[in-house]
mmCIF file of all heavy atoms in Angstrom:
data_model
loop_
_atom_site.group_PDB
_atom_site.id
_atom_site.type_symbol
_atom_site.label_atom_id
_atom_site.label_comp_id
_atom_site.label_asym_id
_atom_site.label_seq_id
_atom_site.Cartn_x
_atom_site.Cartn_y
_atom_site.Cartn_z
ATOM 1 N N LYS A 236 -3.409 -21.085 7.940
ATOM 2 C CA LYS A 236 -2.947 -20.716 6.614
ATOM 3 C C LYS A 236 -3.934 -19.725 5.993
ATOM 4 O O LYS A 236 -3.510 -18.741 5.359
ATOM 5 C CB LYS A 236 -2.809 -21.933 5.718
ATOM 6 C CG LYS A 236 -1.657 -22.820 6.081
ATOM 7 C CD LYS A 236 -1.584 -24.035 5.165
ATOM 8 C CE LYS A 236 -0.442 -24.936 5.585
ATOM 9 N NZ LYS A 236 -0.355 -26.123 4.724
ATOM 10 N N LYS A 237 -5.220 -19.925 6.176
ATOM 11 C CA LYS A 237 -6.217 -19.010 5.636
ATOM 12 C C LYS A 237 -6.133 -17.637 6.316
ATOM 13 O O LYS A 237 -6.223 -16.596 5.664
ATOM 14 C CB LYS A 237 -7.618 -19.597 5.734
ATOM 15 C CG LYS A 237 -7.847 -20.735 4.824
ATOM 16 C CD LYS A 237 -9.266 -21.302 5.032
ATOM 17 C CE LYS A 237 -9.480 -22.494 4.148
ATOM 18 N NZ LYS A 237 -10.855 -23.036 4.316
ATOM 19 N N SER A 238 -5.971 -17.656 7.644
ATOM 20 C CA SER A 238 -5.899 -16.417 8.407
ATOM 21 C C SER A 238 -4.632 -15.654 7.996
ATOM 22 O O SER A 238 -4.696 -14.429 7.809
ATOM 23 C CB SER A 238 -5.829 -16.668 9.911
ATOM 24 O OG SER A 238 -7.035 -17.292 10.334
ATOM 25 N N PHE A 239 -3.496 -16.378 7.902
ATOM 26 C CA PHE A 239 -2.275 -15.705 7.498
ATOM 27 C C PHE A 239 -2.379 -15.154 6.071
ATOM 28 O O PHE A 239 -1.913 -14.046 5.826
ATOM 29 C CB PHE A 239 -1.094 -16.692 7.600
ATOM 30 C CG PHE A 239 0.228 -16.041 7.258
ATOM 31 C CD1 PHE A 239 0.809 -15.172 8.163
ATOM 32 C CD2 PHE A 239 0.813 -16.291 6.038
ATOM 33 C CE1 PHE A 239 1.991 -14.550 7.853
ATOM 34 C CE2 PHE A 239 2.024 -15.689 5.717
ATOM 35 C CZ PHE A 239 2.619 -14.827 6.627
ATOM 36 N N ALA A 240 -2.994 -15.848 5.161
ATOM 37 C CA ALA A 240 -3.171 -15.381 3.818
ATOM 38 C C ALA A 240 -4.047 -14.129 3.779
ATOM 39 O O ALA A 240 -3.716 -13.155 3.045
ATOM 40 C CB ALA A 240 -3.755 -16.467 2.933
ATOM 41 N N ALA A 241 -5.126 -14.116 4.561
ATOM 42 C CA ALA A 241 -5.967 -12.946 4.631
ATOM 43 C C ALA A 241 -5.238 -11.744 5.213
ATOM 44 O O ALA A 241 -5.350 -10.614 4.665
ATOM 45 C CB ALA A 241 -7.240 -13.218 5.433
ATOM 46 N N LEU A 242 -4.438 -11.942 6.236
ATOM 47 C CA LEU A 242 -3.648 -10.869 6.813
ATOM 48 C C LEU A 242 -2.587 -10.375 5.857
ATOM 49 O O LEU A 242 -2.291 -9.169 5.766
ATOM 50 C CB LEU A 242 -3.013 -11.313 8.133
ATOM 51 C CG LEU A 242 -3.981 -11.460 9.331
ATOM 52 C CD1 LEU A 242 -3.272 -12.038 10.506
ATOM 53 C CD2 LEU A 242 -4.547 -10.110 9.694
ATOM 54 N N ALA A 243 -1.975 -11.272 5.114
ATOM 55 C CA ALA A 243 -0.949 -10.856 4.156
ATOM 56 C C ALA A 243 -1.574 -10.014 3.034
ATOM 57 O O ALA A 243 -0.972 -9.011 2.630
ATOM 58 C CB ALA A 243 -0.266 -12.097 3.578
ATOM 59 N N ILE A 244 -2.721 -10.418 2.574
ATOM 60 C CA ILE A 244 -3.412 -9.634 1.527
ATOM 61 C C ILE A 244 -3.819 -8.250 2.060
ATOM 62 O O ILE A 244 -3.635 -7.222 1.421
ATOM 63 C CB ILE A 244 -4.629 -10.414 0.972
ATOM 64 C CG1 ILE A 244 -4.120 -11.620 0.180
ATOM 65 C CG2 ILE A 244 -5.512 -9.501 0.093
ATOM 66 C CD1 ILE A 244 -5.241 -12.577 -0.243
ATOM 67 N N ALA A 245 -4.347 -8.227 3.294
ATOM 68 C CA ALA A 245 -4.699 -6.949 3.907
ATOM 69 C C ALA A 245 -3.504 -6.060 4.096
ATOM 70 O O ALA A 245 -3.559 -4.853 3.811
ATOM 71 C CB ALA A 245 -5.418 -7.183 5.227
ATOM 72 N N GLY A 246 -2.383 -6.636 4.534
ATOM 73 C CA GLY A 246 -1.173 -5.871 4.705
ATOM 74 C C GLY A 246 -0.642 -5.329 3.396
ATOM 75 O O GLY A 246 -0.183 -4.172 3.294
ATOM 76 N N ALA A 247 -0.730 -6.128 2.325
ATOM 77 C CA ALA A 247 -0.292 -5.688 0.985
ATOM 78 C C ALA A 247 -1.165 -4.517 0.504
ATOM 79 O O ALA A 247 -0.687 -3.569 -0.106
ATOM 80 C CB ALA A 247 -0.328 -6.824 0.014
ATOM 81 N N LEU A 248 -2.442 -4.603 0.761
ATOM 82 C CA LEU A 248 -3.331 -3.507 0.354
ATOM 83 C C LEU A 248 -3.049 -2.213 1.121
ATOM 84 O O LEU A 248 -3.053 -1.128 0.558
ATOM 85 C CB LEU A 248 -4.796 -3.901 0.538
ATOM 86 C CG LEU A 248 -5.355 -4.962 -0.411
ATOM 87 C CD1 LEU A 248 -6.749 -5.373 0.004
ATOM 88 C CD2 LEU A 248 -5.313 -4.451 -1.829
ATOM 89 N N VAL A 249 -2.782 -2.337 2.424
ATOM 90 C CA VAL A 249 -2.504 -1.156 3.266
ATOM 91 C C VAL A 249 -1.172 -0.514 2.875
ATOM 92 O O VAL A 249 -1.042 0.666 2.648
ATOM 93 C CB VAL A 249 -2.520 -1.504 4.752
ATOM 94 C CG1 VAL A 249 -1.953 -0.374 5.578
ATOM 95 C CG2 VAL A 249 -3.928 -1.811 5.209
ATOM 96 N N LEU A 250 -0.138 -1.386 2.768
ATOM 97 C CA LEU A 250 1.231 -0.866 2.515
ATOM 98 C C LEU A 250 1.495 -0.597 1.054
ATOM 99 O O LEU A 250 2.344 0.183 0.715
ATOM 100 C CB LEU A 250 2.263 -1.833 3.087
ATOM 101 C CG LEU A 250 2.215 -1.961 4.587
ATOM 102 C CD1 LEU A 250 3.227 -3.012 5.040
ATOM 103 C CD2 LEU A 250 2.483 -0.648 5.287
ATOM 104 N N GLY A 251 0.768 -1.275 0.190
ATOM 105 C CA GLY A 251 1.082 -1.159 -1.249
ATOM 106 C C GLY A 251 0.147 -0.225 -1.960
ATOM 107 O O GLY A 251 0.165 -0.177 -3.190
ATOM 108 N N GLY A 252 -0.637 0.543 -1.235
ATOM 109 C CA GLY A 252 -1.505 1.542 -1.889
ATOM 110 C C GLY A 252 -0.726 2.497 -2.765
ATOM 111 O O GLY A 252 0.354 2.961 -2.404
ATOM 112 N N SER A 253 -1.263 2.845 -3.877
ATOM 113 C CA SER A 253 -0.523 3.702 -4.802
ATOM 114 C C SER A 253 -0.981 5.159 -4.596
ATOM 115 O O SER A 253 -2.129 5.402 -4.222
ATOM 116 C CB SER A 253 -0.763 3.260 -6.259
ATOM 117 O OG SER A 253 -2.103 3.409 -6.578
ATOM 118 N N THR A 254 -0.084 6.040 -4.888
ATOM 119 C CA THR A 254 -0.406 7.460 -4.875
ATOM 120 C C THR A 254 -0.014 8.033 -6.216
ATOM 121 O O THR A 254 0.915 7.533 -6.860
ATOM 122 C CB THR A 254 0.333 8.209 -3.730
ATOM 123 O OG1 THR A 254 1.771 8.016 -3.949
ATOM 124 C CG2 THR A 254 -0.031 7.682 -2.389
ATOM 125 N N ALA A 255 -0.641 9.063 -6.602
ATOM 126 C CA ALA A 255 -0.366 9.678 -7.878
ATOM 127 C C ALA A 255 1.001 10.360 -7.806
ATOM 128 O O ALA A 255 1.311 11.024 -6.857
ATOM 129 C CB ALA A 255 -1.425 10.734 -8.220
ATOM 130 N N ALA A 256 1.781 10.187 -8.853
ATOM 131 C CA ALA A 256 3.122 10.846 -8.883
ATOM 132 C C ALA A 256 2.899 12.302 -9.263
ATOM 133 O O ALA A 256 2.149 12.611 -10.179
ATOM 134 C CB ALA A 256 3.972 10.172 -9.901
ATOM 135 N N THR A 257 3.530 13.195 -8.500
ATOM 136 C CA THR A 257 3.383 14.606 -8.824
ATOM 137 C C THR A 257 4.763 15.230 -8.942
ATOM 138 O O THR A 257 5.652 14.877 -8.191
ATOM 139 C CB THR A 257 2.610 15.332 -7.676
ATOM 140 O OG1 THR A 257 3.308 15.137 -6.463
ATOM 141 C CG2 THR A 257 1.215 14.818 -7.560
ATOM 142 N N ALA A 258 4.879 16.134 -9.856
ATOM 143 C CA ALA A 258 6.100 16.860 -10.010
ATOM 144 C C ALA A 258 5.900 18.175 -9.232
ATOM 145 O O ALA A 258 4.993 18.934 -9.490
ATOM 146 C CB ALA A 258 6.399 17.163 -11.471
ATOM 147 N N TYR A 259 6.724 18.459 -8.256
ATOM 148 C CA TYR A 259 6.595 19.588 -7.389
ATOM 149 C C TYR A 259 7.733 20.583 -7.670
ATOM 150 O O TYR A 259 8.866 20.249 -7.598
ATOM 151 C CB TYR A 259 6.625 19.193 -5.939
ATOM 152 C CG TYR A 259 6.488 20.337 -4.995
ATOM 153 C CD1 TYR A 259 5.284 20.944 -4.787
ATOM 154 C CD2 TYR A 259 7.589 20.839 -4.304
ATOM 155 C CE1 TYR A 259 5.176 22.041 -3.926
ATOM 156 C CE2 TYR A 259 7.502 21.925 -3.464
ATOM 157 C CZ TYR A 259 6.305 22.480 -3.263
ATOM 158 O OH TYR A 259 6.178 23.566 -2.423
ATOM 159 N N THR A 260 7.323 21.761 -7.958
ATOM 160 C CA THR A 260 8.286 22.865 -8.132
ATOM 161 C C THR A 260 8.067 23.747 -6.904
ATOM 162 O O THR A 260 6.958 24.200 -6.621
ATOM 163 C CB THR A 260 8.023 23.646 -9.388
ATOM 164 O OG1 THR A 260 8.072 22.781 -10.490
ATOM 165 C CG2 THR A 260 9.045 24.751 -9.575
ATOM 166 N N PRO A 261 9.150 24.036 -6.146
ATOM 167 C CA PRO A 261 8.988 24.839 -4.951
ATOM 168 C C PRO A 261 8.429 26.223 -5.275
ATOM 169 O O PRO A 261 8.925 26.873 -6.161
ATOM 170 C CB PRO A 261 10.387 24.903 -4.343
ATOM 171 C CG PRO A 261 11.313 24.454 -5.402
ATOM 172 C CD PRO A 261 10.519 23.649 -6.433
ATOM 173 N N SER A 262 7.405 26.628 -4.524
ATOM 174 C CA SER A 262 6.856 27.961 -4.716
ATOM 175 C C SER A 262 7.001 28.800 -3.428
ATOM 176 O O SER A 262 6.848 29.993 -3.457
ATOM 177 C CB SER A 262 5.375 27.860 -5.111
ATOM 178 O OG SER A 262 4.683 27.226 -4.063
#
């Protein structure tokens, strides 16, 4: 249970990382 919880948290951090939203106008 502890190992699975640690892996779940690590997976959430890897996959849930946020990126800044950018508005892109084609140039």
Side-chain angles (χ1 to χ4, degrees):
K236 290 181 183 178
K237 290 180 183 179
S238 297
F239 182 73
L242 287 173
I244 291 170
L248 289 173
V249 168
L250 296 176
S253 64
T254 59
T257 58
Y259 179 75
T260 303
S262 60

